[in-house]
Structures are given as structure tokens and as C-alpha cells.
Amino acid sequence: MRSRQNPQEKGVRASGVTAGVWPYQRGRGICPGRCFITNKMAMSASAELSKAVKQQYMELPQGDKVQVMYVWIDGTGEGLRCKTRTLDSEPKSIEELPEWNFDGSSTYQSEGSNSDMYLIPSAMFRDPFRKDPNKLVLCEVLKYNHKPAETNLRLTCKKVMDMVENQVPWFGMEQEYTILGTDGHPFGWPNNGFPGPQGPYYCGVGSDKAYGRDIVEAHYRACLYAGVMICGTNAEVMPAQWEFQVGPCEGINMGDHLWVARFILHRVCEDFGVVASFDPKPIPGNWNGAGCHTNFSTKEMREEGGLKAIEESIERLGKRHSYHIRAYDPKGGLDNARRLTGHHETSNIHEFSAGVANRGASIRIPRTVGQEKKGYFEDRRPSANCDPYAVTEALIRTCLLSEEGDEPVDY
């Protein structure tokens, strides 16, 4: 019979998923035999509620009534809020949705003495949580005087997009995010330590490499159901970090679809009891940050000889680097400064660079584009928590409207 060695004395190496030891306590009245102590992930209390009980109610018929969830961006420029109203019939277009209002003093958007804010329906999607005929509606926010709220960047973005409609601008955004417990600790990481160094996690498979795939799959399917133009997903370089891609979207649709994809991700994570973080550098040190790389092209760039138009746009971007850095995160570049260090597949925030297949450059020209002399380019500077309306508007202003200087032109 083989002798059993005390794993505590041997030094058991914890995996990145369940960090624990097998305490050999036989004869002490504790854990007679095998006992594996796993880390308890901090999860929300609502995740512990019975989903089977909820499903009984969700299966009840709702008659001719329709639930419409209004979604908007709050005063932080990053957070999303939502509330629901009942309509008498299924809306077929945005025009059929009524304007609504909310208390802006509770969303960092107004004073309590004058708190009413207006919700203006702007984009409608199917609701993957309540299912058809119910809807999700992304809204613009207007102040009491019907002027746009400070974080309503959609209004000016749409105005700029309409100015270049004939150039058919396409965008694709690669949204990186990190799954956290409710205590802010990365999902699946040991409670008192770190997983193995980066290397095996990017596009990885296996429980010791991919943390939280259930959440990713649920989000993907929910986006497809909703009508969001999600086009892919993959595990990222840092464990518990993932990416989904949205696009190609034309004009204002890019911002609409990415914001709704983010909302759906937050709701999916709510059901699982965890948190989706868009912080550009959630873990300091030798770990990759999180960006929102933005791919951009016009009709001219996509046609034969389009590389010339791509190179002209990159030249304009190089002369306006500081303007774009300020537009590419909600804090005017302060968030991105933690990520854009020149390491971990990023350029330095103070320098502009471009290159073919160079992931350490500000702008990357894909190798196939360099070979075919047409296509698109990738701006790798936007942070994970950027406002897609601000990013896409800035690209149009610089590349297509040929703006210069540190301030946008008022049209």
C-alpha cells in the first residue's frame, strides 16, 4: 500500500481556477480523509436566488402588452442605467416609442432642485432577457431645457456622421473587458496570489486557461438574439480577460451597437453574480491592460488603390495625437495613461507611431491590407471604457473632415 504524503508538506501548487490545499488532519477530528478547500468567489446575493422559481413567472403570458426597457448613459460617461415601462402594443419603429423622463439627481446628471431629464429613444433592439415582443431601447439624454446632457455624445456624433454619409464610413470595435468578483478580484484568480504568467491564456481552452466562458457564451447568444452586430469573441492575454468584436457598422450604428452590447454584458454578469469591468488597467504590474481597438475604413479605402487614402488619414492622425488621446477615454487620457505605457502590446501615450502588423504602434495596418493595397486600419489607442461615439466622431473629424488642432470644429 502506497504511503500518503501530506500535500501541505509537499507544497501543492494551486491552479489558477481553484487555489486550495488538502489539509492532512486525520486523527484531529477535522476532515477525516480527503478534504479539498477551494476559494470562495465573491458573488452577488441575487445570483443565489432560484432561477427556476423566476422562470415560472417569466413563462406567464403577458397578453397584448409589451415591456420596453429604456437604457441610457449616466453622468459618469461610463455607467449605464435602465428602467421599464409598459406599452399597449409592440413598437415597430423608434418613432412609435414615447419620450420618457427620469431623476437626473440620482444619476450624476442634475441638481435635486431641477432633476427631471428626458429620455429620447434612439435605437431599438429585441430584449434577450424577457424575449419577444419585448424591447431594449437605447436613449439619448436631454436636460430640462432640451439641450444634450454633458455625457450625451451621440447628438454631435450623428451630426458629424451625417456630414460624411456619402463616404460610407465603416467601423469595427474590439471590446476588451475583465470578469471580476463583486469584491473586485479577477474571476478564477487565487484569493492570495496570482495565476501563472501570461502566455497560455490568449484564445486558450481548458479550465486552467479560460476563466468564465459560460458568461462569454451567454453574452454572445444574447447579442445575436437582440440584433447587435457582434462578429466574434476570444479569450484575451490576461486570465479572466475577454474580448468581443462588434461590426462592421456604418456611421452612428457603431456607437449604438457597442453600448447595447455592453449593457447586455452587464445584465448577463448580473445573472451570474459577477462584474464586467472595462477598466483600462484593472491589475497593475506585468499584466495586459484592456483596450477597445477601433477599425476604420471608407468606401475609397476599401476600393482598389485605397491604401493611399489610408496613409493620408494616418498622416492626419499623427498631427492630432493629443486631441485623440483626450477623446479616447472618459477622463481625457488619465485612464489610458495607466495602459498606454509602451509595453504589453501598446504604444506610448506620448508618442504616435504606425506600422504594418505592429501591435506596439498607435495605428496598425493589417498585413493583408499592406499586401492588397486596400482595406482598413486599426487605431489601437482607445481605452476599454471609451465612449464609442467620441472615438468614431474623432476619427471622422480628423480623417474625413481634415480638422486640425486640439479642439473640434463647431459645425
Side-chain angles (χ1 to χ4, degrees):
M1 185 176 183
R2 289 181 298 175
S3 63
R4 182 180 294 168
Q5 186 178 10
N6 185 344
Q8 286 181 305
E9 296 171 354
K10 183 179 180 181
V12 176
R13 185 167 68 96
S15 77
V17 180
T18 53
V21 294
W22 167 20
Y24 193 69
Q25 300 285 4
R26 189 183 299 276
R28 300 185 187 178
I30 305 173
C31 195
R34 296 196 172 194
C35 178
F36 192 80
I37 309 299
T38 62
N39 282 339
K40 176 66 176 174
M41 189 76 198
M43 302 175 71
S44 69
S46 61
E48 304 298 324
L49 297 174
S50 171
K51 305 305 179 187
V53 172
K54 174 190 173 186
Q55 192 59 28
Q56 293 182 69
Y57 298 100
M58 297 304 291
E59 290 173 355
L60 292 173
Q62 60 187 67
D64 296 328
K65 303 295 184 181
V66 175
Q67 291 174 287
V68 179
M69 180 173 281
Y70 284 54
V71 179
W72 71 96
I73 301 159
D74 69 16
T76 66
E78 302 177 60
L80 288 161
R81 307 292 179 115
C82 62
K83 64 175 186 171
T84 302
R85 70 183 298 168
T86 303
L87 299 184
D88 292 331
S89 60
E90 181 181 358
K92 302 299 182 183
S93 67
I94 282 292
E95 290 71 30
E96 295 180 24
L97 291 163
E99 294 183 11
W100 207 8
N101 57 68
F102 68 95
D103 171 18
S105 67
S106 298
T107 61
Y108 317 116
Q109 289 173 294
S110 70
E111 298 293 330
S113 59
N114 194 8
S115 65
D116 277 1
M117 308 284 286
Y118 295 100
L119 291 171
I120 312 300
S122 301
M124 184 168 65
F125 298 80
R126 298 168 72 193
D127 187 336
F129 307 102
R130 294 165 172 157
K131 300 182 182 175
D132 290 337
N134 305 300
K135 305 295 181 186
L136 297 178
V137 178
L138 183 66
C139 300
E140 286 189 25
V141 176
L142 302 183
K143 296 188 283 191
Y144 70 94
N145 55 8
H146 281 269
K147 292 184 178 180
E150 283 71 17
T151 53
N152 177 5
L153 306 186
R154 187 182 189 276
L155 203 63
T156 57
C157 181
K158 188 170 189 314
K159 182 188 293 186
V160 167
M161 292 297 172
D162 290 344
M163 293 173 64
V164 298
E165 185 178 11
N166 62 327
Q167 299 190 53
V168 197
W170 286 3
F171 301 93
M173 298 187 81
E174 305 169 20
Q175 177 68 72
E176 295 177 339
Y177 64 96
T178 309
I179 303 174
L180 307 175
T182 54
D183 59 354
H185 195 70
F187 182 82
W189 285 34
N191 279 348
N192 299 304
F194 297 91
Q198 297 181 156
Y201 308 107
Y202 173 71
C203 295
V205 62
S207 59
D208 58 340
K209 299 179 183 70
Y211 304 174
R213 193 184 296 275
D214 287 352
I215 295 162
V216 174
E217 294 294 340
H219 173 250
Y220 202 148
R221 190 61 59 88
C223 283
L224 290 174
Y225 181 93
V228 170
M229 294 183 70
I230 187 170
C231 59
T233 188
N234 59 268
E236 264 305 326
V237 176
M238 188 180 84
Q241 199 169 77
W242 294 80
E243 174 183 294
F244 64 87
Q245 302 93 31
V246 175
C249 295
E250 185 175 339
I252 197 67
N253 290 330
M254 184 68 254
D256 292 346
H257 282 247
L258 188 65
W259 273 117
V260 171
R262 287 174 174 177
F263 174 80
I264 292 172
L265 179 61
H266 285 309
R267 275 288 287 105
V268 167
C269 285
E270 182 182 320
D271 285 344
F272 281 97
V274 295
V275 175
S277 169
F278 298 110
D279 189 285
K281 186 72 174 180
I283 307 299
N286 196 26
W287 302 97
N288 272 36
C292 193
H293 303 154
T294 301
N295 303 286
F296 174 60
S297 70
T298 62
K299 185 174 183 291
E300 182 183 7
M301 294 176 188
R302 297 187 293 271
E303 293 175 344
E304 291 300 322
L307 183 60
K308 182 175 183 293
I310 292 173
E311 291 173 338
E312 289 171 351
S313 288
I314 293 173
E315 185 176 350
R316 294 190 188 104
L317 289 168
K319 296 176 181 177
R320 217 180 187 206
H321 180 60
S322 60
Y323 165 74
H324 283 266
I325 289 297
R326 290 203 313 276
Y328 284 2
D329 81 50
K331 296 182 178 64
L334 293 177
D335 271 348
N336 233 349
R338 294 184 283 120
R339 165 181 163 260
L340 295 179
T341 61
H343 304 289
H344 306 107
E345 298 184 81
T346 71
S347 59
N348 187 292
I349 194 169
H350 302 296
E351 301 170 359
F352 180 86
S353 58
V356 175
N358 184 357
R359 284 180 161 76
S362 308
I363 306 294
R364 180 181 72 92
I365 299 175
R367 190 171 299 284
T368 55
V369 173
Q371 293 169 346
E372 297 174 7
K373 311 298 184 186
K374 64 178 181 179
Y376 68 96
F377 66 85
E378 177 192 49
D379 193 333
R380 297 178 61 81
R381 296 171 294 176
S383 67
N385 61 344
C386 70
D387 188 320
Y389 298 130
V391 173
T392 56
E393 178 185 330
L395 285 167
I396 294 297
R397 285 179 177 274
T398 301
C399 298
L400 303 189
L401 298 179
S402 301
E403 290 186 15
E404 298 177 351
D406 290 339
E407 297 298 330
V409 175
D410 186 3
Y411 298 104

